[in-house]
Amino acid sequence: ARLSHCVRITEIVAMPLGTALVPSSIAASSAARPTYPQGRVQLAASTRATVRRGPVRVEAKKTADGPRIAIAGVSGAVGQEFLKVLHERDFPYSSIKMLGSSRSAGKEVEFEGETYVIEELVEESFKDVELALFSAGGSVSKKFGPIASEMGCTVVDNSSAFRMTEGVPLVVPEVNPEALDGIKIGEGGIVANPNCSTIICLMAVTPIHKAKGVKRMVVSTYQAASGAGQAAMDELEQQTREILAGEEPTCDIFPMQYAFNLFSHNSDVLDTGYNEEEMKLVKETRKIWSYPDVKVTGTCIRVPVMRAHAESINLELDEPISEEEAKTLLEAAPGVSIIDDRSANRFPTPIDASGKDDVYVGRIRRDISNDDGTGLDLFICGDQIRKGAALNAVQIAELLLKK
């Protein structure tokens, strides 16, 4: 259906025998982890189709009765991706305001055939705005997010400023959409976008967690330049050219050579020896799942890839799982695609995921170090700028528009 604000709520997707169904009448049997609205996944061998109830996809563009929106940090990599995703998903709006720093103010932005001038982000910027997508850095969000909310503007923030703030929902639409209950566009409030590595991880792991329960998760991330912003992407390209030309690499963003190298994530290292990026994965997973006792540990590495993260994930589950069950659960999950061809040694790569909405999963195999069948290994890739940032934020906005 294509109406002014109406939506395609349900997709019927043809699936092979053994597809997972999620009956609402079946409650989670384990009291140690949260009960999800969908209940526990039950495998149905005779099932020929599954109903995907993913985030609502809005089917409209500029319209008089759409929300008045603003993009804070529009000149950055994620800000530009916001515009691309809004256009591709036909998000409805009656007006759009482009906001940026004093350095960006006055520059022009083309969007859907119109030219907009970037305005400097100030306290008065949100007086006539109902929805704002923020990707301007934590300090900017901390200052202007509450101001916008007080003015009745609903904020979806991509920074770390509010992720662990009590009362602020931390949302991956395919994972915990219920966390948005009580928030409506134009009535204020702040919603936090999780960290990119957390989003990509939980897109793949949550379907398995809902069915079998994750007791412990070990994650190693291989993170792209885009996670450090457009300047890091530019420097990676510049260093590559310089090194191939036999020149010394320019190291302005990172203190060491990035091209043809990899190193521990550049976030601050804490007294525990973990860095801040690794602790985001730990804390955010617990909040999103409403499961404070889940055990999570991670090692985050920066690699010379432009815009898609990769992650190696080891799971210890409450219940045994076969490779076939894991694949069935992942095949049924919205926003997840499988690349897992052992005979061709073909599995997900950052190139596969770059510019794509889905998170790609492969190397699906039982953990042979676990004798009771409760161990599982995965390798995943996801676009850091899209699902790791801009797409997730726009999907949140779509859910809010539904309310």
Side-chain angles (χ1 to χ4, degrees):
R2 185 181 180 89
L3 302 174
S4 174
H5 278 186
C6 289
V7 297
R8 185 180 66 215
I9 296 178
T10 307
E11 291 182 42
I12 305 295
V13 182
M15 299 294 290
L17 294 178
T19 298
L21 286 181
V22 189
S24 59
S25 60
I26 301 175
S29 62
S30 173
R33 60 183 184 272
T35 300
Y36 288 84
Q38 301 97 323
R40 289 285 295 278
V41 172
Q42 301 293 309
L43 299 180
S46 61
T47 302
R48 297 183 182 275
T50 185
V51 180
R52 290 187 179 177
R53 294 181 177 85
V56 171
R57 171 84 180 258
V58 178
E59 300 283 355
K61 286 189 177 181
K62 191 170 185 179
T63 174
D65 55 350
R68 301 183 299 273
I69 67 177
I71 309 298
V74 69
S75 61
V78 175
Q80 288 294 297
E81 201 73 16
F82 278 151
L83 296 180
K84 182 185 291 187
V85 174
L86 288 170
H87 171 73
E88 291 173 353
R89 297 177 73 85
D90 294 332
F91 190 89
Y93 63 97
S94 58
S95 65
I96 185 167
K97 185 180 290 188
M98 309 296 182
L99 302 174
S101 66
S102 58
R103 298 188 306 275
S104 298
K107 295 179 181 179
E108 294 184 345
V109 175
E110 297 290 331
F111 181 60
E112 296 199 331
E114 296 187 36
T115 300
Y116 297 84
V117 177
I118 299 177
E119 303 174 29
E120 183 177 356
L121 176 58
V122 295
E123 293 185 4
E124 293 75 24
S125 295
F126 304 98
K127 283 184 176 178
D128 58 349
V129 175
E130 296 171 284
L131 171 69
L133 304 179
F134 271 66
S135 188
S139 61
V140 173
S141 293
K142 286 180 180 178
K143 178 178 179 180
F144 290 103
I147 292 172
S149 179
E150 284 294 320
M151 293 182 176
C153 174
T154 304
V155 173
V156 182
D157 181 50
N158 190 57
S159 79
S160 61
F162 306 107
R163 288 175 185 156
M164 299 310 299
T165 301
E166 188 172 354
V168 174
L170 184 65
V171 179
V172 181
E174 296 89 342
V175 175
N176 63 331
E178 69 281 358
L180 293 173
D181 290 349
I183 298 180
K184 295 182 180 179
I185 289 178
E187 297 184 4
I190 298 173
V191 180
N193 222 26
N195 192 40
C196 48
S197 55
T198 305
I199 294 173
I200 292 167
C201 175
L202 296 192
M203 284 292 294
V205 175
T206 298
I208 296 166
H209 173 57
K210 290 182 178 182
K212 299 294 184 177
V214 170
K215 182 184 300 182
R216 183 171 186 261
M217 179 167 67
V218 181
V219 185
S220 297
T221 70
Y222 311 95
Q223 298 185 215
S226 58
Q230 186 63 52
M233 298 169 72
D234 293 342
E235 184 161 289
L236 174 58
E237 181 176 352
Q238 179 182 358
Q239 285 189 5
T240 302
R241 295 179 185 277
E242 291 169 341
I243 293 168
L244 290 175
E247 303 170 2
E248 285 294 314
T250 300
C251 298
D252 292 334
I253 304 303
F254 300 117
M256 64 191 76
Q257 178 180 320
Y258 187 16
F260 305 100
N261 194 21
L262 55 82
F263 47 83
S264 181
H265 193 276
N266 48 289
S267 55
D268 291 341
V269 179
L270 309 175
D271 291 341
T272 59
Y274 284 80
N275 61 43
E276 289 182 349
E277 187 79 359
E278 292 156 357
M279 292 310 299
K280 288 176 185 177
L281 186 63
V282 174
K283 295 176 181 179
E284 292 177 18
T285 297
R286 291 170 175 170
K287 181 173 180 177
I288 293 166
W289 280 353
S290 298
Y291 184 18
D293 295 330
V294 66
K295 297 178 180 179
V296 181
T297 185
T299 300
C300 295
I301 303 297
R302 187 73 74 185
V303 297
V305 171
M306 197 57 73
R307 61 174 289 161
H309 289 352
E311 303 184 15
S312 173
I313 302 172
N314 174 265
L315 302 174
E316 181 182 352
L317 307 173
D318 290 331
E319 302 174 12
I321 190 170
S322 67
E323 293 171 1
E324 291 73 20
E325 285 179 298
K327 287 182 180 179
T328 299
L329 292 167
L330 292 165
E331 285 170 350
V336 174
S337 293
I338 295 177
I339 302 176
D340 195 69
D341 186 346
R342 294 178 182 178
S343 62
N345 199 12
R346 180 71 172 92
F347 304 104
T349 70
I351 291 176
D352 294 319
S354 293
K356 306 291 178 55
D357 289 350
D358 279 7
V359 171
Y360 292 83
V361 184
R363 299 301 314 277
I364 304 165
R365 62 201 189 279
R366 285 188 58 245
D367 176 0
I368 60 173
S369 72
N370 190 312
D371 294 331
D372 61 6
T374 60
L376 187 72
D377 287 310
L378 307 171
F379 183 76
I380 69 174
C381 292
D383 190 299
Q384 182 274 329
I385 304 178
R386 288 188 73 86
K387 185 55 186 173
L391 173 62
N392 198 76
V394 173
Q395 288 176 313
I396 290 170
E398 289 175 349
L399 284 179
L400 293 174
L401 194 65
K402 176 187 173 185
K403 294 180 179 294

